Amino acid sequence: MLFRSRTMDTAAGEDIINGNRLADGSSDAQKRRIAYYYDPEIGNYNYGKHHCWKPHRVRIVHNLLVAYDICKEMDMFKPTMIDYKDIMRFHSDDYVNFLRVINPDNAASMVKQQIQFNVGDDSPVFDGLFDYICSYCSGSIGGACRLNEGLSDIVINWSGGLHHAKKSEASGFCYVNDIVLAILELLKKYTRVLYIDIDIHHGDGVEEAFYTTNRVMTVSFHKFGDFFPGTGDISDVGYGEGKGYSLNFPLRAGIDDAAFVSIFKPVIAKVMERYQPEAIVLQCGADSLSGDRLGCFNLSLKGHAECVNFVRAFNKPTLVLGGGGYTVRNVSRCWTYETAVILGKEVKNELPFTDYLEYFGPDYSLQITPSNMENMNTKNYLDEHLHMLLDQLQSLEAVPGLQIESAFHPKTPDRVKLEQPEEGNPDEHEEVTKKEAEGEFA
């Protein structure tokens, strides 16, 4: 018997109210200090006319945020570009140097290196490739620095979240793993960092990077089976000092809001109880939404955002990132709505006017309606896997301490000097330049 449950209210046409609640259900009146990173150039990068990864979606999100008039609720920053040496904190020198020099003009003479580093088809060479890498990484690393310095409670970088990139190769449209770089930054201050991934694809690059340490717990909810990248079985739990600190919930096609939330909340609640992370990184890949070009889940914006709201309610320093998502209009809707959820703001279902309004016809609404696709996740299947993960968590050492070595041995925290953003009209000046001390990322 397939999973049947009371569905969440996903009817289009209703206004959305984002209640402020803590994880225990009590009222949360505290105003979060939210920082938001946006590079106006991000929409100019192009993987190719027929490629499904569209950096332009982040520009559409920004335009919607401005039109909804909620940008004024956040500290906005244009990321200051990192140096290539900052990327070498995780990625190999030869791979980073290759990314620095490869371009469409010399690509034909570097075929051997493209094969070696898995750059070519899914992760193509295009004009401005390394500038694009630096752009999305800078927002994630800069956001981690703000959290380290206590300048923000939550930082958003929708251009980040490229979770497939490996130490010495590109993978799944991802060249450099900004998530790993951001977590390494957070580890300078925080003893334990939790990584949560709600992209439909397994967060393999992040899990692999921290597979042998207990200072980072990775939790991924993803489609498993004959599906990229093919990793993330429930039996993949970590190794050595990291054994038990990788959690994977493998899912089948068609999972809906009620079913997804019913597994997400108890797993994350148990993680918070046993692991007690000091900071959280949340990857919000939107390819888990209904109707995604590459996805096969059936989540609405409300179901997806309920996960974001649940994590927000724990009131931990949190870095919120983008990720996958290949139906551009729905990705833009999702991250716009989730920004409002993070801010605890109400937004109308009727979309405001922007230069991209035609993307959202014929209804021009924020919400999407899930399809009638079959949920292949039976109740027994979900319950069985939920209990396995809860048992895994219960068996862990509660609140692992610093006496257990990390695989990365992060350095003492660098002190970062950041100026507060200037006041301004976001319609006239959509980003504020972040000024960083020389050597911040050294």
Side-chain angles (χ1 to χ4, degrees):
M1 181 179 179
L2 298 179
F3 187 89
R4 293 285 184 266
S5 61
R6 182 180 63 83
T7 58
M8 300 178 67
D9 177 17
T10 56
E14 296 183 7
D15 293 345
I16 306 152
I17 300 177
N18 305 317
N20 293 336
R21 293 284 171 183
L22 293 173
D24 62 4
S26 60
S27 179
D28 173 20
Q30 178 181 347
K31 181 176 175 61
R32 302 293 204 279
R33 297 171 300 161
I34 313 296
Y36 165 70
Y37 279 83
Y38 173 70
D39 181 359
E41 299 299 318
I42 196 71
N44 295 334
Y45 301 109
N46 192 338
Y47 277 50
K49 181 178 180 181
H50 300 293
H51 200 287
C52 57
W53 185 275
K54 306 292 185 183
H56 180 62
R57 61 201 177 144
V58 179
R59 178 178 286 168
I60 301 175
V61 173
H62 182 75
N63 274 259
L64 284 170
L65 295 176
V66 171
Y68 269 120
D69 198 29
I70 57 178
C71 282
K72 64 184 180 182
E73 305 290 338
M74 305 181 285
D75 295 333
M76 294 187 295
F77 299 95
K78 176 182 177 182
T80 297
M81 293 300 107
I82 58 172
D83 185 76
Y84 72 92
K85 293 179 181 178
D86 304 314
I87 298 174
M88 291 177 179
R89 284 182 173 183
F90 170 63
H91 292 280
S92 63
D93 294 6
D94 54 349
Y95 177 50
V96 175
N97 287 327
F98 163 77
L99 292 173
R100 292 174 63 201
V101 300
I102 188 74
N103 61 63
D105 294 331
N106 64 18
S109 65
M110 302 181 72
V111 174
K112 182 178 179 180
Q113 293 95 322
Q114 289 184 66
I115 295 172
Q116 176 186 352
F117 299 121
N118 197 33
V119 170
D121 295 328
D122 284 348
S123 305
V125 177
F126 58 86
D127 284 326
L129 171 59
F130 197 69
D131 290 336
Y132 169 65
I133 291 169
C134 289
S135 176
Y136 74 75
C137 287
S138 296
S140 299
I141 295 175
C145 288
R146 287 193 65 82
L147 294 176
N148 282 355
E149 288 298 303
L151 298 174
S152 299
D153 300 312
I154 302 174
V155 180
I156 302 169
N157 176 30
W158 293 126
S159 66
L162 281 73
H163 58 173
H164 294 307
K166 308 298 196 300
K167 183 179 182 67
S168 297
E169 67 177 47
S171 178
F173 319 147
C174 307
Y175 302 89
V176 165
N177 202 313
D178 64 294
I179 305 171
V180 172
L181 294 172
I183 291 174
L184 290 175
E185 193 69 34
L186 291 171
L187 287 172
K188 293 178 178 181
K189 176 177 181 180
Y190 301 108
T191 305
R192 295 175 305 282
V193 176
L194 170 62
Y195 171 68
I196 304 170
D197 193 314
I198 58 174
D199 194 291
I200 195 173
H201 300 96
H202 177 231
D204 57 332
V206 183
E207 177 183 275
E208 181 179 302
F210 300 107
Y211 207 61
T212 60
T213 178
N214 64 1
R215 291 196 60 196
V216 179
M217 176 174 281
T218 61
V219 186
S220 181
F221 302 82
H222 52 270
K223 174 71 168 62
F224 183 71
D226 186 18
F227 199 76
F228 182 86
T231 53
D233 196 357
I234 198 166
S235 61
D236 298 332
V237 298
Y239 182 78
E241 300 294 355
K243 187 174 182 179
Y245 293 90
S246 293
L247 282 83
N248 289 292
F249 205 123
L251 295 165
R252 299 169 179 170
I255 192 163
D256 57 23
D257 289 346
F260 195 90
V261 171
S262 76
I263 61 171
F264 181 87
K265 287 187 175 182
V267 169
I268 298 305
K270 191 67 172 180
V271 166
M272 299 301 293
E273 173 195 329
R274 297 293 295 172
Y275 190 61
Q276 295 185 25
E278 297 174 348
I280 300 172
V281 177
L282 176 59
Q283 197 264 22
C284 300
D287 45 9
S288 46
L289 293 174
S290 180
D292 188 80
R293 284 178 60 187
L294 300 187
C296 56
F297 283 178
N298 199 25
L299 300 183
S300 73
L301 268 62
K302 292 185 178 180
H304 199 272
E306 181 61 24
C307 299
V308 176
N309 198 41
F310 189 70
V311 172
R312 172 190 182 275
F314 286 98
N315 203 19
K316 298 286 185 181
T318 302
L319 178 63
V320 179
L321 304 173
Y326 307 98
T327 301
V328 171
R329 62 184 179 275
N330 290 347
V331 179
S332 305
R333 286 171 160 130
C334 180
W335 294 343
T336 299
Y337 178 50
E338 288 177 347
T339 303
V341 167
I342 291 166
L343 289 165
K345 293 294 179 181
E346 299 179 17
V347 287
K348 296 288 186 180
N349 190 53
E350 180 182 357
L351 288 170
F353 177 80
T354 68
D355 292 339
Y356 306 102
L357 188 61
E358 69 273 12
Y359 280 53
F360 304 99
D363 56 352
Y364 305 102
S365 62
L366 181 62
Q367 289 299 303
I368 64 172
T369 302
S371 74
N372 62 352
M373 72 183 298
E374 188 176 21
N375 182 359
M376 303 305 295
N377 299 271
T378 65
K379 186 177 188 306
N380 287 341
Y381 176 85
L382 294 176
D383 287 346
E384 177 186 355
H385 286 71
L386 175 59
H387 291 144
M388 290 173 68
L389 289 182
L390 295 180
D391 289 345
Q392 177 182 334
L393 286 164
Q394 188 62 37
S395 67
L396 293 178
E397 172 196 6
V399 196
L402 267 177
Q403 69 272 16
I404 297 181
E405 293 293 324
S406 164
F408 287 91
H409 307 291
K411 300 182 297 183
T412 302
D414 297 327
R415 306 314 294 172
V416 184
K417 296 180 181 178
L418 298 173
E419 293 185 1
Q420 291 299 320
E422 303 167 1
E423 297 294 330
N425 185 337
D427 293 310
E428 298 175 355
H429 185 67
E430 295 181 350
E431 72 287 331
V432 180
T433 302
K434 168 185 159 196
K435 299 180 180 179
E436 299 166 318
E438 182 179 358
E440 173 187 344
F441 300 113

